[in-house]
Amino acid sequence: MSENTLESFGYKQELSRTLELKDLVIYGLIFIVPIAPFGIFGHVMSASGGTIVTAYIIGLIGMLFTAISYSQMAKEFPVAGSVYSYVSKGTNSFVGFVTGWIMLLDYVLIPALLYVVGALAIHDIFPSISPLILIIAFVIFNTYVNIRGISFTAGFNRWMLIAELIVLAIFLVVGVVAISNNVNGAVFSIAPVYDVDNFSLGLIISAVPIAVLSFLGFDGISTLAEEAKGGGKAVSKAIFLVLFIIGGLFIAQTWIAALIQPDPEQFNNLDTAFYETARIAGGEWLAVLTAATTAIAWGIADSLVAQIATARILYSMGRDKLLPTALSRVHSRYKTPYVSTLLVSVISIVAAIAFMSHLALLTSIVTIGALTAFLILNVSTMYYFVLKKKSYNFFLHILSPLFGIGVVGYIWSGFESYTIITGAVWAAIGFGIYYLAKMRGQEVDMEI
């Protein structure tokens, strides 16, 4: 593997390189959210017909193969920008921009999604508090923390992660006790993985695009390559550590919850289904605890790191003059891309208001942006290493990307037509922006 540096790609070190491996892992865990299934449990249970654990296992497999491609490209191109930078430098600037633009459909909207879920969770506990007021408060707080600097944010993340893991441990212990006592008729079984009477592969596949939302965020670690000690190598290690840890946590919590309430039709509201399940297992105090933690985790902790990742992709595109160069401005004191951070804040508020009552649609749009970018990244990994570098590593550069394409492509096939149309319109807008940018004096780079 080549020892490429940031300077070898024509960039200078502007961001503060202070993050260690543990900071990257914490960042990834916070971004993905160890309790992510709390917020979408009802939707995945309903779509999968109750076999929620299998939906999460399929999603994890797809993400692991794609993570290998991220790992290889992160080592080769240790720069900010994630999939945008990897595809740009592995193929050409046109394909890279389009891929980055498609990924922005995920990154730009996911903070809004997180704010809505967090606000709804608090609203469920305190109905008198307006979700809109909560969203604005979340955005203001996160913007302040992000602009203050990456080290300041990393310290905040550590405490948030500890709090989430404690609450998850409490739920798992109470849940196991409830099942042992046959609360709600619950018994230990493999029904959440395979129910011989109700198993439907079609239902499971239709649920995977929603379940995959819980895993989105491992790729966000790669946006911190210019702020990580160890660059691409540290990013690569962190990605795999995070996926294996988070996969185990997701399987454990969804399995326990599905045993306590195995019938999705019994939920009063799919948005708050997990809290209903917690109420069955431990009473009102557990329902309030899990709802409040979800609100803080999604509305503050996860949206905080999502804002970081989005701002750095915009920073990278602005630095390459494919988006307004103002987006690449770095705060003189805190060494953070503050203009990009402020833009993400404004977009988050607007999008959160627009999609407040359409959470499932927002979830699908976010997911199709990420999965489409994953598909292109896997193809680019094969192209770059096999055709351009003449690599003979069959597993890393051929078999693994092919599996990633196959699994992600199969998940992608489960999207509704309106979601695909939305993605296509977004991509078309990206084409137009790219050509307008290149018409300002440069030839459009279509050579690969």
Side-chain angles (χ1 to χ4, degrees):
M1 190 68 65
S2 60
E3 294 295 330
N4 292 329
T5 63
L6 180 63
E7 290 73 19
S8 68
F9 295 107
Y11 303 127
K12 63 179 181 178
Q13 185 70 45
E14 294 184 290
L15 304 180
S16 179
R17 193 179 289 279
T18 59
L19 300 180
E20 298 180 357
L21 178 61
K22 65 180 180 180
D23 297 314
L24 297 178
V25 171
I26 291 171
Y27 172 91
L29 290 174
I30 285 288
F31 199 153
I32 297 180
V33 185
I35 58 171
F38 284 18
I40 59 175
F41 174 75
H43 293 283
V44 185
M45 275 288 285
S46 178
S48 66
T51 48
I52 185 172
V53 174
T54 302
Y56 272 99
I57 290 173
I58 293 174
L60 174 60
I61 292 171
M63 295 305 98
L64 282 172
F65 284 117
T66 298
I68 292 175
S69 291
Y70 265 101
S71 170
Q72 293 299 296
M73 295 299 255
K75 293 176 182 177
E76 194 73 9
F77 306 115
V79 298
S82 186
V83 67
Y84 155 69
S85 296
Y86 302 156
V87 177
S88 292
K89 301 184 186 311
T91 58
N92 64 34
S93 65
F94 172 73
V95 179
F97 177 83
V98 171
T99 306
W101 179 259
I102 291 172
M103 179 58 97
L104 278 177
L105 190 59
D106 163 26
Y107 276 92
V108 167
L109 292 181
I110 201 167
L113 172 63
L114 300 170
Y115 289 132
V116 170
V117 172
L120 290 177
I122 290 184
H123 182 67
D124 184 61
I125 304 172
F126 305 106
S128 61
I129 303 179
S130 167
L132 178 59
I133 298 299
L134 291 169
I135 288 170
I136 293 174
F138 287 153
V139 171
I140 292 174
F141 177 81
N142 282 352
T143 301
Y144 169 76
V145 173
N146 273 332
I147 291 179
R148 277 293 306 273
I150 195 68
S151 295
F152 184 82
T153 304
F156 178 80
N157 285 343
R158 292 190 192 100
W159 290 108
M160 292 303 305
L161 179 60
I162 291 171
E164 289 179 41
L165 292 176
I166 290 174
V167 172
L168 177 56
I170 291 172
F171 170 77
L172 291 176
V173 171
V174 173
V176 168
V177 172
I179 297 169
S180 300
N181 293 327
N182 301 122
V183 172
N184 200 39
V187 295
F188 292 105
S189 73
I190 63 167
V193 180
Y194 178 75
D195 186 347
V196 66
D197 295 322
N198 301 303
F199 186 82
S200 170
L201 184 60
L203 280 178
I204 293 172
I205 293 302
S206 68
V208 172
I210 305 175
V212 161
L213 174 69
S214 300
F215 291 101
L216 300 185
F218 79 87
D219 51 296
I221 298 172
S222 61
T223 66
L224 301 179
E226 293 181 31
E227 293 159 278
K229 295 178 180 178
K233 291 182 179 179
V235 165
S236 175
K237 293 178 182 177
I239 285 175
F240 287 109
L241 285 171
V242 166
L243 275 177
F244 281 116
I245 293 170
I246 214 73
L249 294 177
F250 286 175
I251 290 171
Q253 64 194 272
T254 54
W255 201 321
I256 295 298
L259 290 177
I260 295 170
Q261 179 50 280
D263 185 2
E265 295 185 2
Q266 296 300 311
F267 296 134
N268 295 320
N269 185 337
L270 294 181
D271 290 337
T272 58
F274 193 92
Y275 320 131
E276 295 176 28
T277 303
R279 186 176 290 111
I280 294 171
E284 188 64 27
W285 70 271
L286 188 59
V288 172
L289 178 63
T290 53
T293 307
T294 301
I296 296 171
W298 287 60
I300 296 179
D302 191 18
S303 52
L304 178 72
V305 293
Q307 189 181 55
I308 291 174
T310 308
R312 277 140 185 82
I313 291 179
L314 293 173
Y315 161 80
S316 188
M317 288 182 165
R319 182 173 62 180
D320 290 342
K321 300 181 180 179
L322 292 173
L323 288 179
T325 55
L327 295 174
S328 65
R329 290 179 184 170
V330 175
H331 196 283
S332 58
R333 179 181 177 185
Y334 299 124
K335 303 302 179 183
T336 53
Y338 70 99
V339 175
S340 295
T341 301
L342 291 172
L343 177 60
V344 175
S345 302
V346 173
I347 294 174
S348 295
I349 292 176
V350 173
I353 294 173
F355 288 97
M356 181 87 69
S357 301
H358 306 283
L359 194 58
L361 174 60
L362 181 57
T363 299
S364 296
I365 293 173
V366 165
T367 308
I368 197 172
L371 294 187
T372 303
F374 290 171
L375 285 172
I376 300 174
L377 174 69
N378 280 310
V379 173
S380 298
T381 299
M382 285 194 297
Y383 172 81
Y384 175 75
F385 284 103
V386 177
L387 297 182
K388 294 185 75 170
K389 295 205 70 177
K390 309 300 180 184
S391 169
Y392 296 100
N393 192 319
F394 180 73
F395 176 75
L396 290 178
H397 302 148
I398 299 176
L399 188 62
S400 179
L402 283 175
F403 272 119
I405 293 168
V407 177
V408 173
Y410 195 47
I411 297 171
W412 200 97
S413 68
F415 285 113
E416 299 288 348
S417 58
Y418 60 79
T419 305
I420 296 174
I421 291 172
T422 301
V425 170
W426 178 261
I429 294 173
F431 293 154
I433 291 176
Y434 181 86
Y435 278 98
L436 286 175
K438 286 298 184 180
M439 284 174 62
R440 293 179 304 184
Q442 291 181 299
E443 292 288 331
V444 177
D445 177 15
M446 297 289 287
E447 294 293 329
I448 60 175

